[in-house]
C-alpha cells in the first residue's frame, strides 16, 4: 500500500495555490522602454510585436498606463540621432539630452514610478560599442569615467537607480564614488554583474540601431567585455566584485537560458537579484504564438514565474504590461 502520495496536494486549484512556493505579481516587473526624438511619434519594432519606440510625450502616457496596471518601474533606452553620436559618448551626459528630458518628464507625471535609465555608451557611439575605442581596443578606464558622468546626469534628472549594462571592469566603484561625491548617496545601482555575450540580443540592437559596426579596425562583437556563455564560475567572480564595489541590485542577463546562473547567485548572496528576459526571448515566444504553436497568456506567465522560482526578485521584461493585464484579470 502506498502511504506517501504527492498527488494529494495537487487535487484541485485551491490546494495547489495553498502550497504554491512562488507567486508572480505586478510588483515583480520592470518594463524596458524605448524612447525616440519627436512629438506624438510611435514606431513599431518589427522583431518585437507589440513593442514600440515612442517620443517623450507618448512615453509618459505609456508610463501612466503601466502604473495604473501595477507596473511601478521602467528601464529606459534612447534611440538618438546619428548626428550626436561620436567616440566619446558625450551626448550621454547632456543635461538637455533625450534621456535626461525623458527622466524628468516621467518623474513629473508619475512621481511614484521608479525610473532606471540604462548606463552604456552604445546608443551614443559611432561604433555601436559600449566603450570608447582607441587603436582598435575598447578602453576600460576612460569608458568608466564617461559612465560615471552619464550616471550623475541621470541622477540630476531624477533617476531612482542607474543601471550600468556595459561590463567594464571596476565601473560600479567609479559610478558609486561619483554619485556620492555629487550628493546622490540615495541613488542606487543595478549592476549588470553577469551579462553574457549572447545571440539573444538581436531584436534589441535593431530597436536602437546599436549593434557593433562592421569595421575591420574595431572588434566585431562584444566578447572582449561581455561574458563567455560557456562559463558559470566567472559569473560569481563578477557578482562578488560588483557587491564589493557598491552595487545595490545584481543583474543576470539573458534570462531563460541562464536560469542556472540565477539560481547559483541566489544561493550565494542576499542582495536583490534582477534578471533580464531579453528581446530574443520575447521575440521567440511571440513568433511561436503568431504561428499558433504556443498559448500566449499561459506561456508568458509560466516563463516569468520560472524566474521567481530560480530566485529572482525583479524581472526586466517586455512582457511586463501584457503580464500585468493577464494577472489583473
Amino acid at each position: 500500500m502506498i502511504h506517501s502520495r504527492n498527488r494529494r496536494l495537487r487535487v484541485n486549484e485551491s490546494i495547489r495555490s495553498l502550497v504554491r512556493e512562488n507567486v508572480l505579481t505586478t510588483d515583480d516587473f520592470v518594463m524596458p522602454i524605448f524612447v525616440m526624438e519627436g512629438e506624438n511619434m510611435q514606431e513599431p519594432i518589427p522583431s518585437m510585436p507589440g513593442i514600440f519606440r515612442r517620443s517623450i510625450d507618448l512615453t509618459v502616457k505609456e508610463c501612466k498606463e503601466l502604473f495604473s496596471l501595477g507596473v511601478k518601474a521602467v528601464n529606459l533606452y534612447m534611440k538618438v540621432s546619428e548626428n550626436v553620436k561620436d567616440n566619446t559618448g558625450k551626448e550621454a551626459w547632456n543635461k538637455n539630452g533625450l534621456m535626461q528630458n525623458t527622466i524628468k518628464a516621467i518623474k513629473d507625471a508619475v512621481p511614484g514610478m521608479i525610473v532606471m535609465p540604462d548606463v552604456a555608451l552604445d546608443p551614443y557611439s559611432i561604433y555601436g560599442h559600449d566603450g570608447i575605442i582607441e587603436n582598435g581596443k575598447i578602453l576600460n578606464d576612460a569608458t568608466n569615467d564617461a559612465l560615471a558622468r552619464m550616471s550623475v546626469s541621470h541622477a540630476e534628472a531624477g533617476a531612482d537607480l542607474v543601471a550600468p549594462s556595459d561590463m567594464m571592469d571596476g565601473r560600479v566603484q567609479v559610478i558609486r564614488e561619483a554619485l556620492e561625491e555629487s550628493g546622490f548617496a540615495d541613488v542606487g545601482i543595478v549592476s549588470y554583474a553577469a551579462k553574457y555575450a549572447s545571440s539573444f540580443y538581436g531584436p534589441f540592437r535593431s530597436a536602437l540601431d546599436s549593434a557593433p559596426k562592421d569595421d575591420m579596425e574595431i572588434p566585431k562583437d562584444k566578447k572582449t567585455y561581455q561574458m563567455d556563455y560557456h562559463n558559470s564560475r566567472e559569473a560569481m567572480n563578477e557578482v562578488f566584485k560588483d557587491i564589493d564595489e557598491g552595487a545595490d541590485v545584481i543583474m543576470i542577463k539573458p534570462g531563460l537560458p541562464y536560469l542556472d546562473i540565477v539560481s547559483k547567485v541566489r544561493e550565494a548572496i542576499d542582495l536583490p537579484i534582477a534578471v533580464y528576459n531579453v528581446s530574443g526571448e520575447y521575440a521567440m515566444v511571440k513568433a511561436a504564438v503568431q504561428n499558433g504553436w504556443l498559448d500566449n497568456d499561459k506561456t508568458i506567465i509560466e516563463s516569468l514565474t520560472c524566474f521567481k522560482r530560480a530566485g529572482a526578485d525583479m524581472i526586466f521584461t517586455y512582457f511586463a504590461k501584457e503580464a500585468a493585464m493577464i494577472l489583473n484579470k
Side-chain angles (χ1 to χ4, degrees), residues 135-236:
N135 297 324
K137 293 184 178 180
I138 286 84
L139 301 182
N140 192 93
D141 296 1
T143 297
N144 283 346
D145 292 339
L147 297 173
R149 296 184 69 175
M150 187 178 181
S151 297
V152 170
S153 78
H154 293 173
E156 290 172 343
D160 300 282
L161 301 99
V162 295
S165 61
D166 56 285
M167 288 298 286
M168 296 298 120
D169 291 336
R171 89 277 201 213
V172 172
Q173 181 172 328
V174 175
I175 292 170
R176 183 73 270 161
E177 290 174 355
L179 290 171
E180 299 284 333
E181 291 168 4
S182 301
F184 296 107
D186 291 336
V187 174
I189 299 176
V190 179
S191 171
Y192 287 59
K195 181 180 180 180
Y196 286 82
S198 172
S199 300
F200 287 89
Y201 303 146
F204 172 93
R205 290 174 180 168
S206 66
L208 292 184
D209 189 26
S210 62
K213 299 299 184 282
D214 188 10
D215 188 322
M216 292 296 291
E217 297 181 359
I218 64 172
K220 64 180 180 179
D221 52 40
K222 301 188 177 186
K223 293 181 180 179
T224 66
Y225 45 102
Q226 294 178 359
M227 283 182 53
D228 184 344
Y229 63 78
H230 298 85
N231 298 347
S232 63
R233 293 193 303 273
E234 181 185 7
M236 303 309 301

Side-chain angles (χ1 to χ4, degrees), residues 11-318:
V11 169
N12 56 50
E13 176 57 23
S14 295
I15 292 178
R16 291 192 296 271
S17 64
L18 192 65
V19 298
R20 192 159 287 152
E21 298 173 27
N22 297 283
V23 178
L24 190 71
T25 77
T26 58
D27 291 334
D28 299 318
F29 302 147
V30 179
M31 179 70 180
I33 289 181
F34 299 116
V35 185
M36 60 184 289
E37 300 280 2
E39 187 174 346
N40 195 33
M41 298 282 289
Q42 178 170 286
E43 295 179 352
I45 300 169
S47 56
M48 301 174 70
I51 304 299
F52 301 86
R53 289 182 290 263
R54 297 182 176 90
S55 52
I56 293 178
D57 54 332
L58 296 188
T59 297
V60 168
K61 182 179 178 182
E62 179 73 1
C63 286
K64 289 179 178 178
E65 185 173 354
L66 285 166
F67 200 79
S68 72
L69 290 168
V71 179
K72 301 168 187 172
V74 291
N75 177 219
L76 302 180
Y77 298 89
M78 303 296 114
K79 187 179 190 304
V80 299
S81 303
E82 290 295 320
N83 64 345
V84 301
K85 295 182 180 183
D86 62 12
N87 188 35
T88 70
K90 64 180 183 296
E91 179 63 19
W93 55 87
N94 178 356
K95 291 182 183 295
N96 293 309
L98 183 60
M99 175 68 88
Q100 290 74 11
N101 288 334
T102 301
I103 295 169
K104 293 173 188 174
I106 294 172
K107 293 302 289 187
D108 285 345
V110 196
M113 181 67 82
I114 300 301
V115 178
M116 307 180 190
D118 180 63
V119 176
L121 297 185
D122 52 332
Y124 306 91
S125 168
I126 54 174
Y127 299 115
H129 272 286
D130 292 43
I132 297 167
I133 295 179
E134 186 176 289
N135 297 324
K137 293 184 178 180
I138 286 84
L139 301 182
N140 192 93
D141 296 1
T143 297
N144 283 346
D145 292 339
L147 297 173
R149 296 184 69 175
M150 187 178 181
S151 297
V152 170
S153 78
H154 293 173
E156 290 172 343
D160 300 282
L161 301 99
V162 295
S165 61
D166 56 285
M167 288 298 286
M168 296 298 120
D169 291 336
R171 89 277 201 213
V172 172
Q173 181 172 328
V174 175
I175 292 170
R176 183 73 270 161
E177 290 174 355
L179 290 171
E180 299 284 333
E181 291 168 4
S182 301
F184 296 107
D186 291 336
V187 174
I189 299 176
V190 179
S191 171
Y192 287 59
K195 181 180 180 180
Y196 286 82
S198 172
S199 300
F200 287 89
Y201 303 146
F204 172 93
R205 290 174 180 168
S206 66
L208 292 184
D209 189 26
S210 62
K213 299 299 184 282
D214 188 10
D215 188 322
M216 292 296 291
E217 297 181 359
I218 64 172
K220 64 180 180 179
D221 52 40
K222 301 188 177 186
K223 293 181 180 179
T224 66
Y225 45 102
Q226 294 178 359
M227 283 182 53
D228 184 344
Y229 63 78
H230 298 85
N231 298 347
S232 63
R233 293 193 303 273
E234 181 185 7
M236 303 309 301
N237 184 301
E238 292 279 3
V239 166
F240 291 136
K241 284 182 177 177
D242 283 6
I243 292 173
D244 288 342
E245 290 175 17
D248 299 285
V249 179
I250 293 298
M251 169 74 82
I252 291 94
K253 183 179 182 181
L256 288 174
Y258 295 83
L259 290 179
D260 61 317
I261 306 301
V262 178
S263 181
K264 191 171 184 178
V265 173
R266 175 75 290 160
E267 292 177 1
I269 72 170
D270 294 323
L271 259 64
I273 293 174
V275 64
Y276 207 127
N277 182 208
V278 301
S279 59
E281 299 168 50
Y282 177 92
M284 288 192 302
V285 170
K286 284 300 182 181
V289 168
Q290 288 178 347
N291 279 283
W293 299 334
L294 292 175
D295 179 281
N296 184 76
D297 293 7
K298 292 179 180 178
T299 304
I300 290 172
I301 298 304
E302 180 180 346
S303 297
L304 298 180
T305 302
C306 289
F307 296 124
K308 291 290 296 290
R309 190 188 66 236
D313 300 288
M314 62 186 78
I315 306 164
F316 286 54
T317 177
Y318 302 98

